[in-house]
Amino acid sequence: MRAFAVREQAPIEAAPLVREARALPSPGAGEVLVRVTACGICRTDLHVVEGDLPLVTVPLVPGHQIVGTVERVGTMRGGRPRFRAGARIGAAWLRATCGACAYCASGRENLCERARFTGWHADGGFADYAVVPEAFAYALPDTLGDAEAAPLLCAGIIGYRALRLSGVAGDARGGRGTGGRLGIYGFGSSASVTIQVARARGSDVFVCTREPSHRELARALGASWVGATTDAMPEPVDGAIIFAPAGELVPIALRSLARGGTLALAGIHMSRIPPLEYADLFNEKRIVTVTANTRADGEELLAEAARIPIRPAVTTFPLEEANGALLALKRGAFAGSGVLLP
Ligand SMILES: [Zn+2]
Ligand SMILES: [Zn+2]
């Protein structure tokens, strides 16, 4: 099978993903072998390939928004397998947790110190096949095609968690929330899914982003105001999310918040945050980071996505263009979500 792997991190312009011919991997106990039909690309893949995040496995096949068909089921640890051969499933960033620590025991498995991640600790979906632990895989709604479903698996789930942590639209588990005003900074894949959830819950959304094509998509998806990165939002927002990995946006976003508002930082990596003025944080404003996801986040997002229904704006690339696709992501060359098709 084909796999695109990184052995040495380098700027994506240097094409650090190398095409390898590999034997088909074998699913172990509790795992399934998946024939990949689509794999979303994410800024985290770029961080892993370029060196913003350390390379913890070498060589590594990135990709953690995997849609595919179960080809073979490994031996199960007792009981029946969750998925049979032929089932369409999705695999996301969270790959394994210890299941025993205080975080795992209290519904916060995203904070498990022994968590492992797809496309970081283990090979991901920039390949024809991938091995996936079935306990961390998702059944996918039939309403979405393979390429459309892929961006939900990280961009969607992380944005969904960020939206909840921002406090806007409450904790609407499926129902309509209370509305409220949401500010979004950076309008890539995750933001383009999140705005659809927020709009479906009746929220007003303001978007600040650099790329004109991203501003256009934000407008098309229902943003009631769109501006450049550092423009002041027209009214204070109840909560805001920074999706861009740009620390300099933190004080700007804090100033856009209404009193008591929360700023959620949705990236896994962010450039240095400048010193904050206490006045920008005063009035009980909060900053919270979004760290991975729980399986419950994934199940809830997929159910709500099917109901709304969410339609990710997808740009597809052949698997062979893995480097080019990540370069296009880095340059903001497409709006919405990028997806590799083997
Ligand atoms: Zn744990
Ligand atoms: Zn991701």
Coordinates of all heavy atoms in Angstrom, one line a residue, residues 24-25 27 31-37 68-74 83-89 128-130:
L24 N 0.7 -4.3 4.0 CA -0.6 -4.0 4.7 C -0.4 -4.2 6.2 O 0.1 -5.3 6.6 CB -1.7 -5.0 4.1 CG -3.0 -4.3 3.8 CD1 -2.9 -3.2 2.8 CD2 -3.9 -5.4 3.2
P25 N -0.8 -3.3 7.0 CA -0.6 -3.5 8.5 C -1.6 -4.5 9.0 O -2.7 -4.6 8.4 CB -0.8 -2.1 9.1 CG -1.6 -1.3 8.0 CD -1.3 -1.9 6.7
P27 N -4.2 -5.7 12.0 CA -4.9 -5.2 13.1 C -4.6 -6.1 14.3 O -4.7 -7.3 14.2 CB -6.4 -5.2 12.8 CG -6.5 -6.3 11.7 CD -5.2 -6.3 11.0
E31 N -8.5 -4.0 17.4 CA -8.3 -3.0 16.3 C -8.9 -3.5 15.1 O -9.2 -4.7 14.9 CB -6.7 -2.9 16.1 CG -6.0 -2.2 17.2 CD -4.5 -2.1 16.9 OE1 -4.0 -2.9 16.1 OE2 -3.9 -1.3 17.5
V32 N -9.1 -2.6 14.1 CA -9.6 -3.0 12.8 C -8.7 -2.4 11.8 O -8.1 -1.3 12.0 CB -11.1 -2.5 12.6 CG1 -12.1 -3.2 13.5 CG2 -11.2 -1.0 12.8
L33 N -8.6 -3.1 10.6 CA -7.9 -2.6 9.5 C -8.9 -1.8 8.6 O -10.0 -2.4 8.3 CB -7.2 -3.7 8.7 CG -6.6 -3.3 7.4 CD1 -5.3 -2.4 7.6 CD2 -6.2 -4.5 6.6
V34 N -8.6 -0.6 8.3 CA -9.5 0.3 7.5 C -8.9 0.6 6.2 O -7.8 1.0 6.1 CB -9.8 1.6 8.3 CG1 -10.6 2.5 7.4 CG2 -10.6 1.3 9.6
R35 N -9.7 0.4 5.1 CA -9.3 0.9 3.8 C -9.7 2.3 3.7 O -10.9 2.7 3.8 CB -10.0 0.1 2.7 CG -9.5 0.5 1.3 CD -10.1 -0.4 0.2 NE -11.5 -0.5 0.2 CZ -12.3 0.4 -0.3 NH1 -11.8 1.5 -0.9 NH2 -13.6 0.3 -0.3
V36 N -8.8 3.2 3.7 CA -9.0 4.7 3.8 C -9.7 5.2 2.5 O -9.2 4.9 1.4 CB -7.7 5.5 4.0 CG1 -8.0 7.0 4.1 CG2 -7.0 5.0 5.3
T37 N -10.9 5.8 2.6 CA -11.5 6.4 1.4 C -11.4 7.9 1.4 O -11.5 8.5 0.4 CB -13.0 6.0 1.4 OG1 -13.6 6.3 2.7 CG2 -13.2 4.5 1.2
G68 N -13.2 5.5 6.3 CA -12.9 4.3 5.5 C -13.8 3.1 5.8 O -14.8 3.3 6.6
T69 N -13.5 2.0 5.2 CA -14.3 0.8 5.3 C -13.5 -0.2 6.0 O -12.3 -0.4 5.7 CB -14.7 0.3 3.9 OG1 -15.2 1.4 3.1 CG2 -15.7 -0.8 3.9
V70 N -14.2 -0.9 7.0 CA -13.5 -1.9 7.7 C -13.2 -3.1 6.8 O -14.1 -3.6 6.1 CB -14.3 -2.4 8.9 CG1 -13.7 -3.6 9.6 CG2 -14.6 -1.3 9.9
E71 N -11.9 -3.4 6.7 CA -11.4 -4.5 5.8 C -11.3 -5.8 6.6 O -11.6 -6.8 6.1 CB -10.1 -4.0 5.2 CG -9.6 -4.9 4.1 CD -10.1 -4.5 2.7 OE1 -10.9 -3.5 2.7 OE2 -9.8 -5.1 1.7
R72 N -10.8 -5.6 7.8 CA -10.5 -6.8 8.6 C -10.6 -6.5 10.1 O -10.2 -5.4 10.5 CB -9.1 -7.4 8.2 CG -8.8 -8.8 8.6 CD -7.9 -9.5 7.6 NE -6.6 -8.8 7.4 CZ -5.6 -9.0 8.3 NH1 -5.7 -9.8 9.3 NH2 -4.4 -8.4 8.1
V73 N -11.1 -7.4 10.8 CA -11.3 -7.2 12.3 C -10.2 -8.0 13.0 O -10.1 -9.2 12.7 CB -12.7 -7.6 12.7 CG1 -12.9 -7.4 14.2 CG2 -13.7 -6.7 12.0
G74 N -9.5 -7.4 13.9 CA -8.5 -8.1 14.7 C -9.2 -9.0 15.7 O -10.4 -8.9 15.9
F83 N -17.6 -3.3 15.1 CA -17.8 -3.1 13.6 C -17.5 -4.3 12.9 O -16.6 -5.0 13.2 CB -17.0 -1.9 13.1 CG -17.2 -0.6 13.8 CD1 -16.2 -0.2 14.8 CD2 -18.3 0.2 13.6 CE1 -16.4 1.0 15.5 CE2 -18.5 1.4 14.3 CZ -17.6 1.8 15.2
R84 N -18.3 -4.6 11.8 CA -18.0 -5.7 11.0 C -17.3 -5.3 9.7 O -17.3 -4.1 9.4 CB -19.3 -6.4 10.6 CG -20.1 -6.9 11.8 CD -21.4 -7.6 11.4 NE -21.9 -8.2 12.6 CZ -21.4 -9.3 13.2 NH1 -20.4 -9.9 12.7 NH2 -22.0 -9.8 14.3
A85 N -16.7 -6.3 9.0 CA -16.1 -6.0 7.7 C -17.1 -5.3 6.8 O -18.3 -5.7 6.8 CB -15.6 -7.3 7.1
G86 N -16.7 -4.3 6.1 CA -17.6 -3.6 5.2 C -18.3 -2.3 5.9 O -18.8 -1.5 5.1
A87 N -18.2 -2.2 7.2 CA -18.8 -1.0 7.8 C -18.0 0.2 7.5 O -16.8 0.2 7.4 CB -18.9 -1.2 9.3
R88 N -18.7 1.4 7.4 CA -18.0 2.6 7.2 C -17.8 3.3 8.5 O -18.8 3.5 9.3 CB -18.8 3.6 6.3 CG -18.0 4.8 5.9 CD -18.8 5.7 4.9 NE -19.8 6.4 5.5 CZ -20.1 7.7 5.3 NH1 -19.4 8.4 4.4 NH2 -21.1 8.4 5.9
I89 N -16.6 3.6 8.9 CA -16.3 4.2 10.2 C -15.4 5.4 10.0 O -14.8 5.6 9.0 CB -15.6 3.2 11.1 CG1 -14.3 2.7 10.7 CG2 -16.6 2.0 11.4 CD1 -13.5 1.9 11.7
D128 N -3.2 4.3 2.1 CA -4.3 3.5 1.5 C -5.1 2.8 2.6 O -6.3 2.5 2.5 CB -3.8 2.5 0.5 CG -3.4 3.2 -0.8 OD1 -4.1 4.1 -1.3 OD2 -2.3 2.9 -1.4
Y129 N -4.3 2.4 3.7 CA -5.0 1.6 4.8 C -4.4 2.2 6.1 O -3.3 2.7 6.2 CB -4.6 0.1 4.7 CG -5.2 -0.6 3.5 CD1 -4.6 -0.6 2.3 CD2 -6.4 -1.3 3.7 CE1 -5.2 -1.2 1.2 CE2 -7.0 -1.9 2.6 CZ -6.4 -1.9 1.4 OH -7.0 -2.5 0.3
A130 N -5.2 2.0 7.1 CA -4.8 2.4 8.5 C -5.4 1.4 9.5 O -6.5 0.8 9.3 CB -5.3 3.8 8.8

